[in-house]
Amino acid sequence: MGKEIILEAKNINKYFREPVLFHVLKDINFTIKNGEFVSIMGKSGCGKSTLLYILSTMDTDYEGELYLGGDKLTGKHHEELAKIRSKHIGFVFQFHYLLSEFTVLENVMLPAKKLGLKSLQEIEHDAMEKLKLLHIDEQAHKLASRISGGQKQRVAIARALINDPDIIMGDEPTGNLDSHNAQNVMEIFKNLVQERNLSLLIVTHDTDFATKTDRIIEMEDGYIIKK
Amino acid sequence: MTNWSIILSISKTHLLSRIKQTGVAALGVTFGIGTFIILVSFMTGLNGLLDGLILNRTPHVHIYNEIKPSVKQPIDYYEKVKDGFKIVRSVKPKFTQTKIHNALPLMKQLNDDPEVKGAIPQLKAQIFYVSGSIELGGNLVGIDVKEEVRLFNFGDYVVKGDPSALANYDNGILMGAGAAAKMSLDVGNTVQVSTVSGDVFPLKIVGIYQSGLSEIDDIQSYASLKTVQRILGESRNYITDINVKLYDIEKAVALAQRLEKQFDVTAVDINTANAQFETGTAIRNLITYAVSITLLIVAGFGIYNILNMLIYEKMNDIAILKATGFSGRDVKYIFMTQALLIGLVGGFFGILVGYGISVVIDNLPFETQALPTIKTYPVNYDISYYVIGVVFAMVSTFLAGYLPARKAEKIDPVEIIRGQ
Ligand SMILES: Nc1ncnc2c1ncn2[C@@H]1O[C@H](COP(=O)(O)OP(=O)(O)OP(=O)(O)O)[C@@H](O)[C@H]1O
Ligand SMILES: [Mg+2]
């Protein structure tokens, strides 16, 4: 069970055609197993975010093949991808992205409401649980625009957790956090991996953070140089 | 699988957090629908009034005996010059009575026709009103007053007294308002009426008639058919005019043609008599609809603009929604819903405003000599205009929302997220 492959990238190549043809990702091959905590490191501009957008199914403009739980994602219709995304993938952006006109709680609840598998009370209960996990439950009823950057980041992590996804992808999710909260997020991630067999793929510049993960993928100029 | 409750709740939040812009967009719709309803109600009310004015008191077919030369002159009956070239100089009209020949059977036949609402007789007589030494020329029309009231709203034009008194009172007369004023006569007085042949009859004024057209009111009076026949010394079948009202005005032309062919009478239908009037109604309707539709289209552009702006402002939200599992279609629905909500709310208030102002107009005093029965501006409260208004509001907001919403559907979340 623990050895099952959850995410697989096969020969992924990506080009930007504007302003000039630019080969961003070059022959990316790797797998992530169930319950694995993987970090991606690399210099700024080496293509980490670009890779993550492809892995998260939001970007479909690439060459190569992508599998999630053995299911080929490449070539699927984007309506279908949206469904897969909401059910199996949690995403934390490089910059905290919340709907500013909604409360913190509503922000966390939205993906679950969209998925529509649970009743409203269950969703609200779960959302509160996730917020408690990240120690921001007391901000639950504030508007998302009225909390600090670090708090937003934690809300975004809570939102990524709400649908109990198979894999969470994070683009520098601790980038805006102080060491105490970064430590806390690290702990939460580790617990999730151990308790729920969740897989994590986290882009980070923080070497301390990276060394605590199971595996580090290092990138340079669009290549993976070390797995 | 579309979860409408969540789409609705997101739309609501978007709209409420931009209540000013939402309000302006809705106000555009309100203004469009409101004006449409006011304009249409008022214009059709006015049309109805004018229709009533002319159509209600004009017979659909008017039958009478026209004084005219015979079409076939005696020489035409002379066989020996059948193929010759005939010239008849100084043709005079044929002498006939003004009475309609066989009027009673003709009327009976008309009244038995299921298409005919009623065919009623009139007897027009030239008379003089005698006041001391002065004689005023005038007309006295003998009518069946109850039928006139039933078919031609005659009662609306009796401004003083009671039209039914004519039927009950043998020597009653409904004086034209102008004629009565000239001779300082009023209800209850007696007026002396002299016929062309010189006989003088005293008639009691039981009411005052005012059509609004002074050239009629100055000379014309009404009495019962029997009274006028008696004054003229004519028999019961002496009738000069038959006025026909149909259930369906469109059949008037056909009936008039048939009557002329079948009987030796002149029959004029209302369409021929009032051709220019129909044109007026059609043009008024055209203007009303053109102006209203323009207003609604302008309101639609307002919504289009505001939604377009909203979508630019909401790029981030759209990207987040898409990244967290909302499909392009969901996002499209979110913005379509916003457009339709604006249309619905704006349309609802448009109806209220339209109705409110219609009521105000309906109560504004509008008194004119020409229309004795009208006291306020006419308004037509036809429910179908309200339905048309709302349907148009929904259709135009749907179209105005569709293009921006499609744009939102197509937005690539990665581009937005990377753009930060
Ligand atoms: N839309 C685009 N068009 C053209 N080139 C782009 C575009 N987006 C990114 N790039 C280029 O692709 C490369 C990889 O970008 P990416 O955002 O993946 O870097 P990154 O590894 O996430 O960097 P950072 O650590 O600073 O976030 C960069 O050199 C960038 O200039
Ligand atoms: Mg990046």
Side-chain angles (χ1 to χ4, degrees):
Chain A
M1 176 81 185
K3 293 285 177 289
E4 224 173 280
I5 289 171
I6 179 76
L7 188 73
E8 181 170 15
K10 272 190 190 166
N11 290 322
I12 290 198
N13 280 280
K14 161 112 189 149
Y15 301 87
F16 283 120
R17 288 171 190 85
E18 282 177 26
V20 287
L21 191 70
F22 175 44
H23 198 173
V24 215
L25 298 176
K26 299 158 188 164
D27 291 323
I28 302 290
N29 280 293
F30 69 91
T31 57
I32 293 175
K33 297 198 182 72
N34 243 337
E36 214 179 359
F37 189 174
V38 180
S39 56
I40 302 179
M41 293 196 75
K43 279 196 211 116
S44 177
C46 68
K48 306 182 295 293
S49 298
T50 309
L51 176 62
L52 223 52
Y53 297 140
I54 290 172
L55 298 179
S56 71
T57 75
M58 278 191 284
D59 190 352
T60 51
D61 179 22
Y62 59 88
E63 290 165 10
E65 285 167 3
L66 185 65
Y67 295 85
L68 184 76
D71 192 12
K72 186 175 170 189
L73 298 182
T74 311
K76 276 199 198 254
H77 192 259
H78 51 81
E79 298 280 331
E80 211 173 331
L81 290 177
K83 220 181 279 178
I84 289 167
R85 203 150 58 228
S86 94
K87 198 164 183 184
H88 300 288
I89 303 174
F91 200 89
V92 185
F93 303 97
Q94 185 164 10
F95 303 94
H96 30 75
Y97 263 112
L98 299 177
L99 301 176
S100 54
E101 287 149 359
F102 291 77
T103 65
V104 164
L105 185 63
E106 282 168 334
N107 265 287
V108 178
M109 285 167 70
L110 264 184
K113 282 195 198 164
K114 166 62 198 161
L115 194 59
L117 293 180
K118 288 181 270 190
S119 76
L120 204 66
Q121 284 98 320
E122 278 179 283
I123 292 173
E124 191 166 341
H125 174 262
D126 287 359
M128 276 317 274
E129 286 295 302
K130 309 292 181 203
L131 287 173
K132 270 184 199 143
L133 206 63
L134 288 139
H135 306 302
I136 41 164
D137 47 311
E138 70 274 16
Q139 311 285 342
H141 296 290
K142 271 196 185 172
L143 277 184
S145 53
R146 303 238 166 100
I147 58 174
S148 79
Q151 288 170 331
K152 281 181 191 166
Q153 193 107 48
R154 283 181 280 158
V155 174
I157 296 169
R159 182 179 59 193
L161 295 174
I162 187 72
N163 281 340
D164 294 319
D166 301 329
I167 181 162
I168 290 185
M169 303 180 191
D171 198 350
E172 296 177 52
T174 57
N176 282 306
L177 299 183
D178 57 75
S179 58
H180 170 74
N181 270 309
Q183 188 61 38
N184 178 36
V185 167
M186 186 70 206
E187 224 104 279
I188 291 162
F189 282 166
K190 285 213 134 168
N191 284 339
L192 287 170
V193 170
Q194 275 156 21
E195 286 167 18
R196 306 201 190 167
N197 214 25
L198 195 82
S199 309
L200 282 170
L201 180 63
I202 306 292
V203 169
T204 182
H205 288 288
D206 184 346
T207 328
D208 285 347
F209 187 98
T211 48
K212 288 179 193 151
T213 61
D214 301 340
R215 181 153 65 101
I216 300 174
I217 294 175
E218 251 181 82
M219 284 183 70
E220 200 177 296
D221 287 338
Y223 291 104
I224 291 180
I225 53 169
K226 208 183 99 192
K227 291 193 195 175
Chain B
M1 186 202 69
T2 309
N3 189 339
W4 282 106
S5 76
I6 178 166
I7 282 174
L8 207 66
S9 94
I10 294 174
S11 307
K12 224 170 59 191
T13 310
H14 275 173
L15 289 177
L16 291 180
S17 61
R18 261 161 199 66
I19 191 75
K20 256 190 207 160
Q21 289 171 347
T22 311
V24 169
L27 221 62
V29 180
T30 301
F31 185 72
I33 304 298
T35 320
F36 168 76
I37 288 174
I38 295 164
L39 216 63
V40 172
S41 304
F42 186 46
M43 284 302 243
T44 54
L46 209 60
N47 276 346
L49 176 86
L50 295 173
D51 282 2
L53 203 64
I54 297 184
L55 297 184
N56 284 348
R57 61 176 165 180
T58 314
H60 294 170
V61 178
H62 178 202
I63 303 167
Y64 61 104
N65 237 350
E66 202 170 18
I67 302 280
K68 60 184 175 194
S70 300
V71 179
K72 262 189 154 182
Q73 292 291 327
I75 192 157
D76 294 325
Y77 295 98
Y78 188 53
E79 291 288 326
K80 286 189 179 162
V81 291
K82 208 173 75 181
D83 300 322
F85 184 68
K86 294 156 278 188
I87 297 176
V88 184
R89 286 183 199 279
S90 193
V91 176
K92 294 285 185 296
K94 181 179 153 201
F95 175 77
T96 44
Q97 290 174 302
T98 50
K99 85 166 209 178
I100 298 172
H101 192 63
N102 272 338
L104 293 181
L106 172 56
M107 251 169 54
K108 186 176 170 347
Q109 186 193 331
L110 282 171
N111 277 321
D112 287 345
D113 189 332
E115 285 177 4
V116 173
K117 194 170 174 192
I120 54 173
Q122 282 196 346
L123 170 49
K124 288 189 180 147
Q126 291 200 325
I127 47 114
F128 299 97
Y129 304 105
V130 185
S131 171
S133 59
I134 309 168
E135 289 193 341
L136 275 178
N139 293 329
L140 185 61
V141 183
I143 54 171
D144 180 343
V145 73
K146 283 191 183 132
E147 288 291 281
E148 292 281 352
V149 169
R150 179 174 77 91
L151 296 172
F152 298 108
N153 295 3
F154 185 75
D156 289 352
Y157 304 98
V158 176
V159 290
K160 231 179 189 182
D162 183 11
S164 64
L166 265 197
N168 306 332
Y169 194 75
D170 216 17
N171 281 331
I173 182 172
L174 287 168
M175 277 286 283
K182 276 186 195 168
M183 291 183 287
S184 311
L185 293 169
D186 207 342
V187 177
N189 297 138
T190 302
V191 60
Q192 304 283 335
V193 169
S194 137
T195 62
V196 180
S197 52
D199 309 321
V200 177
F201 295 84
L203 295 174
K204 191 174 178 213
I205 301 174
V206 296
I208 302 291
Y209 169 86
Q210 185 178 28
S211 69
L213 302 170
S214 62
E215 63 260 45
I216 291 178
D217 297 338
D218 281 354
I219 57 171
Q220 190 149 302
S221 296
Y222 292 87
S224 77
L225 187 63
K226 247 191 293 175
T227 309
V228 181
Q229 283 166 342
R230 191 160 44 77
I231 288 174
L232 294 179
E234 296 287 358
S235 62
R236 288 282 314 276
N237 65 359
Y238 192 89
I239 288 163
T240 58
D241 301 76
I242 297 172
N243 287 339
V244 182
K245 186 149 194 172
L246 301 172
Y247 287 103
D248 180 5
I249 191 168
E250 302 299 329
K251 303 221 165 92
V253 182
L255 180 69
Q257 282 168 355
R258 204 172 59 206
L259 286 173
E260 282 202 338
K261 225 179 262 170
Q262 206 172 343
F263 299 90
D264 184 21
V265 290
T266 305
V268 176
D269 63 89
I270 188 167
N271 299 36
T272 311
N274 293 291
Q276 82 285 16
F277 163 79
E278 285 282 317
T279 319
T281 305
I283 288 177
R284 272 194 302 275
N285 279 338
L286 192 70
I287 292 172
T288 308
Y289 279 97
V291 170
S292 311
I293 286 172
T294 311
L295 283 169
L296 290 175
I297 288 174
V298 169
F301 272 109
I303 293 175
Y304 173 81
N305 255 334
I306 283 171
L307 274 179
N308 240 345
M309 250 167 52
L310 190 73
I311 283 167
Y312 275 113
E313 269 176 49
K314 289 278 167 239
M315 286 290 192
N316 276 346
D317 283 26
I318 293 167
I320 297 167
L321 288 171
K322 287 188 172 174
T324 53
F326 285 78
S327 64
R329 200 184 306 143
D330 291 330
V331 171
K332 182 173 75 182
Y333 288 156
I334 286 172
F335 287 94
M336 295 294 301
T337 308
Q338 294 184 30
L340 289 179
L341 282 176
I342 290 174
L344 213 61
V345 171
F348 175 74
F349 283 105
I351 285 182
L352 288 190
V353 167
Y355 180 74
I357 294 183
S358 295
V359 169
V360 171
I361 291 175
D362 198 11
N363 285 305
L364 284 181
F366 173 64
E367 291 193 35
T368 154
Q369 268 281 300
L371 310 164
T373 49
I374 305 300
K375 298 277 174 275
T376 58
Y377 282 97
V379 170
N380 177 7
Y381 292 103
D382 192 338
I383 185 88
S384 66
Y385 300 131
Y386 293 76
V387 175
I388 292 174
V390 169
V391 167
F392 203 100
M394 298 319 286
V395 169
S396 67
T397 49
F398 181 87
L399 293 179
Y402 185 74
L403 295 174
R406 264 195 68 89
K407 190 155 45 175
E409 180 184 20
K410 295 264 151 63
I411 283 173
D412 178 6
V414 176
E415 230 163 83
I416 310 296
I417 291 166
R418 225 198 311 259
Q420 282 284 300

